[in-house]
Amino acid sequence: MAVSQVIPGLFLCFAAMVLLIFVSVSVPTWDRVSFLNVGIGANQLRYGVFGFTGSKTQIGYLFTDDRINTGILHNLTKTLILHPIAAALAGLAFLFGLCGAGYHRSGTILMTLLSGLALLATLVAWVIDMALFGIARHRYREDGIPAQYGNANWLTLGALVALMLGFCASACGVFGRYSPRRRDPVY
C-alpha cells in the first residue's frame, strides 16, 4: 500500500539526483555545464568536475594559470568527486523511498538516512565549489582575465535545497500509516 506522506521526499530526492548527475557530467564531458568560465567567446575556458575544456577526464587537475596552481587548490579539485558520490547517495535514497512508498516503513527510514548523508556530501561539495572557484575567479580577475561562475555551482545549490527539503519530507513520511485500518468483523 502506497504511503502518500513519502511522495514529496521521493520526488525531491529524485530531483536532487538528476541535478547532481548533470553536475557530475560537466566539462570536459558536457560543455553546457561548468563551474567557472574564463575568457570571452570562442576562447572561453570552462572548468568542471573531472577537468576543463580540452583536458582529459581525470580526478584532480591543475589550473591553466600558474598563480592558481598551489598544492591546496590542486587537492581541492580532487574533492570534486563528492558530486557523483552525492548523486549516488541521492539515487539510493530514491530507490529506498520507492520501497518505502510501496511496501514497508524500513524503506522510508533508509531513504531518510541516505538523503541525510547525501545532504551532508552535497553541502561539503557546494562549500568547496564556492571556495575553490571563488579563489580561482578572483585570481583570474586580478590578472585582467574575465571570469564568472558557471551554472554547475547553482545546480549544486538547487540539489542541496532539494535534499534538505527531501530529508525533512522523508523524515515526516516515516510517521505515515503503512497498514490498512483494522476493520471490525461483520456478523
Side-chain angles (χ1 to χ4, degrees), residues 3-21 87 89-102 107-108 111-112 115 158-171 173:
V3 178
S4 61
Q5 294 90 346
V6 176
I7 303 301
L10 192 63
F11 171 74
L12 289 165
C13 286
F14 179 76
M17 178 193 68
V18 169
L19 289 174
L20 288 168
I21 287 173
L89 288 171
L92 285 172
F94 172 71
L95 290 176
F96 280 113
L98 284 176
C99 295
T108 308
M111 178 177 124
T112 304
S115 65
L160 178 67
V161 170
L163 282 170
M164 192 177 307
L165 294 173
F167 172 75
C168 293
S170 63

Side-chain angles (χ1 to χ4, degrees), residues 34-147:
S34 63
F35 286 102
L36 184 68
N37 303 328
V38 178
I40 302 173
N43 294 332
Q44 191 175 52
L45 189 62
R46 298 170 183 258
Y47 291 96
V49 171
F50 295 113
F52 52 90
T53 307
S55 73
K56 63 179 182 162
T57 303
Q58 61 187 5
I59 297 174
Y61 53 86
L62 295 173
F63 287 92
T64 55
D65 188 351
D66 289 334
R67 282 184 23 155
I68 302 173
N69 287 331
T70 64
I72 293 173
L73 293 182
H74 175 66
N75 288 332
L76 281 177
T77 62
K78 293 178 183 179
T79 63
L80 296 176
I81 193 70
L82 282 173
H83 293 90
I85 291 170
L89 288 171
L92 285 172
F94 172 71
L95 290 176
F96 280 113
L98 284 176
C99 295
Y103 303 109
H104 199 266
R105 184 181 315 269
S106 62
T108 308
I109 292 169
L110 288 172
M111 178 177 124
T112 304
L113 294 174
L114 285 169
S115 65
L117 285 175
L119 172 65
L120 289 175
T122 306
L123 176 64
V124 170
W126 186 71
V127 168
I128 290 171
D129 293 345
M130 296 310 288
L132 171 66
F133 294 109
I135 292 168
R137 177 176 167 249
H138 179 71
R139 291 199 181 152
Y140 276 118
R141 285 183 169 185
E142 279 182 344
D143 291 342
I145 302 170

